[in-house]
Amino acid sequence: MPKVLFLTTSHSYNDDRIFYHQAKALRDNGYEVKICSLYVDYKGVIDGIEIESYGILEESIEQKMETFRKVCDDFQPQIIICSEPLAVVASKKYVKENKVSCIYDVTEWYPSMSMLQKYGFPAKIFQALKFSLIQLYAGFLSTHFIFGETTKKFPLAYFFGFKKQMILPYYPDSVYIKESTKELEPNTIKLCYTGQISKDKGIENFFNTIDKLRQKLPELHIKILIIGSTVVESDQLYFSSLLKKYSFDDIEIRKPTRFERFTEAFADADLCFDLREINFENNHSLPIKLFYFMGAGKPVIYSNLKGIRKHMGKLSFGNLVNPHNAEDISEIVINYIRNPELYHSHALNARKEFEKKYNWHIIKNSFIEFVKKSIDK
């Protein structure tokens, strides 16, 4: 039975992509699977997958690398799948001595904007250059690549185009999706925001749109559903000031829910929004939540991101917009309200496209085959 080891620093051991999709798919195909994360402490076996996780994100780089090295030596995998450069570098000695494959699964920008936030100018430029060189070094050490989306292939796919690679999008397994296709009720609408609550992720753009909508249709009962939380104190203060500023009448704020119940949490919503800022990092991303909204049968209004356009083209179940143009976005919502048949067709289109093109079962076998070939290299 081939052994597969997942190494990740910043993702939890029960990350939806790593645990619920990749690891479970390999387990179901006869692989012995282990996940090592540095995000939180946990040791045990969940659904037949071994977990050895340590909460040492704040510790030194050397301690993190030594932890990964020990796990590699103890588990003796035939292949290692890494989510970050540090994991790739840490597995270097084991990969070389045992002549095994190391797949670098690229799903995040490196360096990310959050990594550079604490640095001022000109230190930020130096740090960005340093992190970029580490990313290239990880690409050099890796034997194979998996890219979560086409827009994240740069720069590794161009510097190391001779290495085997595949695109593996963030499509969900239908087992984790609750379909909740709806028809609009007269004179009422429920608008939903999910995820991290911050300016970058578009909470103020969302509120601006609702404010514009209530000005245009004062008789409309607008229900607001927010599922998520702030990460840092500054975001909490920012969010509190927005709540005070807008004083919405009907707003419900729910804490983030377990992954398996995510689509259940917004089942009663009519429209799902993601009006994140269009900066370089966001613009080149393909938001994972989009596919969960689709699976649930929810029309969406999203920022006009290059990552979405390049992967999906024009949406048949919603609109891509300028997140700052509350005037135009509010008109899209009004159009749904005045044309409920359009809303219903978009809801059906969302579910139909998920079933036909954007679910895990469509791409699962290509992932398993890629791992198999990487072991048999």
Side-chain angles (χ1 to χ4, degrees):
M1 182 184 292
K3 292 183 174 183
V4 181
L5 175 62
F6 288 87
L7 299 179
T8 177
T9 55
S10 57
H11 293 85
S12 177
Y13 62 85
N14 60 351
D15 175 79
D16 61 343
R17 178 177 175 89
I18 297 171
F19 179 81
Y20 286 99
H21 292 89
Q22 295 176 337
K24 285 194 172 186
L26 293 170
R27 175 208 62 190
D28 292 344
N29 280 267
Y31 292 83
E32 184 178 346
V33 183
K34 181 169 185 170
I35 298 172
C36 178
S37 165
L38 305 184
Y39 188 77
V40 67
D41 285 314
Y42 183 87
K43 288 187 181 180
V45 177
I46 304 175
D47 294 341
I49 297 166
E50 185 181 353
I51 309 294
E52 186 174 345
S53 183
Y54 300 90
I56 58 171
L57 271 181
E58 303 305 317
E59 302 299 330
S60 68
I61 290 176
E62 183 51 42
Q63 183 175 343
K64 295 174 187 176
M65 292 181 65
E66 184 55 36
T67 300
F68 279 149
R69 285 193 286 259
K70 186 176 185 306
V71 171
C72 289
D73 290 337
D74 290 346
F75 187 59
Q76 291 289 302
Q78 276 76 55
I79 189 168
I80 302 172
I81 302 177
C82 301
S83 299
E84 297 89 10
L86 187 143
V88 176
V89 177
S91 64
K92 169 187 172 182
K93 182 180 177 183
Y94 179 87
V95 169
K96 183 177 180 180
E97 290 181 351
N98 293 274
K99 295 182 172 55
V100 302
S101 294
C102 174
I103 298 176
Y104 183 8
D105 184 13
V106 183
T107 61
E108 307 289 347
W109 282 104
Y110 193 91
S112 66
M113 291 176 63
S114 60
M115 291 172 64
L116 299 173
Q117 261 181 354
K118 60 183 178 182
Y119 300 105
F121 185 84
K124 184 172 291 191
I125 296 175
F126 172 76
Q127 292 297 330
L129 179 60
K130 183 183 80 172
F131 287 134
S132 297
L133 291 175
I134 293 171
Q135 169 84 323
L136 289 174
Y137 183 51
F140 171 75
L141 293 177
S142 306
T143 60
H144 300 71
F145 296 119
I146 294 176
F147 296 102
E149 54 215 83
T150 304
T151 46
K152 288 205 173 86
K153 290 176 69 175
F154 180 83
L156 298 181
Y158 300 90
F159 278 90
F160 308 105
F162 55 91
K163 295 188 179 185
K164 293 286 194 298
Q165 58 185 262
M166 74 170 296
I167 301 291
L168 188 74
Y170 314 103
Y171 302 164
D173 191 326
S174 56
V175 72
Y176 305 121
I177 301 291
K178 177 183 177 181
E179 182 184 358
S180 52
T181 305
K182 295 182 64 182
E183 293 189 16
L184 290 180
E185 298 177 18
N187 301 316
T188 184
I189 194 164
K190 192 163 195 173
L191 310 179
C192 180
Y193 174 106
T194 67
Q196 181 181 335
I197 298 173
S198 69
K199 182 176 180 61
D200 177 64
K201 297 304 180 184
I203 186 63
E204 187 169 4
N205 297 329
F206 178 60
F207 281 178
N208 281 338
T209 294
I210 298 171
D211 187 47
K212 184 68 67 174
L213 181 63
R214 69 179 174 180
Q215 291 174 31
K216 292 181 175 182
L217 296 178
E219 72 282 2
L220 179 67
H221 182 192
I222 304 172
K223 302 177 183 178
I224 303 169
L225 173 61
I226 296 176
I227 305 169
S229 61
T230 56
V231 175
V232 296
E233 185 180 359
S234 58
D235 286 340
Q236 179 58 51
L237 294 172
Y238 169 72
F239 183 47
S240 297
S241 69
L242 290 179
L243 291 173
K244 185 176 180 181
K245 174 184 176 181
Y246 289 98
S247 299
F248 293 118
D249 295 328
D250 192 341
I251 183 168
E252 180 182 1
I253 303 171
R254 300 177 188 167
K255 291 293 184 183
T257 186
R258 283 173 37 223
F259 166 75
E260 301 98 319
R261 307 196 64 177
F262 175 58
T263 55
E264 293 179 32
F266 60 83
D268 53 343
D270 296 312
L271 269 173
C272 290
F273 286 75
D274 190 321
L275 300 177
R276 66 185 65 191
E277 297 296 322
I278 305 182
N279 50 46
F280 180 85
E281 189 172 316
N282 286 340
N283 195 34
H284 289 79
S285 295
L286 180 63
I288 298 173
K289 289 182 298 183
L290 176 62
F291 303 109
Y292 289 84
F293 295 152
M294 289 175 63
K298 302 298 181 185
V300 302
I301 297 179
Y302 255 81
S303 294
N304 188 12
L305 305 178
K306 180 179 179 180
I308 298 177
R309 295 197 310 271
K310 196 159 186 177
H311 191 82
M312 306 177 74
K314 186 177 180 181
L315 300 185
S316 67
F317 55 94
N319 294 268
L320 299 178
V321 300
N322 174 351
H324 294 289
N325 195 331
E327 174 71 31
D328 286 355
I329 302 170
S330 64
E331 283 300 320
I332 292 171
V333 180
I334 291 171
N335 192 35
Y336 278 133
I337 294 168
R338 291 176 176 166
N339 299 280
E341 69 283 354
L342 173 65
Y343 171 86
H344 190 58
S345 71
H346 278 199
L348 294 178
N349 286 347
R351 181 64 191 182
K352 187 187 304 179
E353 290 215 21
F354 170 75
E355 291 175 337
K356 289 187 175 180
K357 295 194 286 187
Y358 299 112
N359 69 79
W360 174 243
H361 292 284
I362 290 172
I363 60 175
K364 177 174 66 174
N365 288 337
S366 62
F367 166 69
I368 294 166
E369 187 63 22
F370 186 79
V371 173
K372 181 180 182 299
K373 288 182 177 178
S374 301
I375 294 175
D376 295 339
K377 65 177 176 61

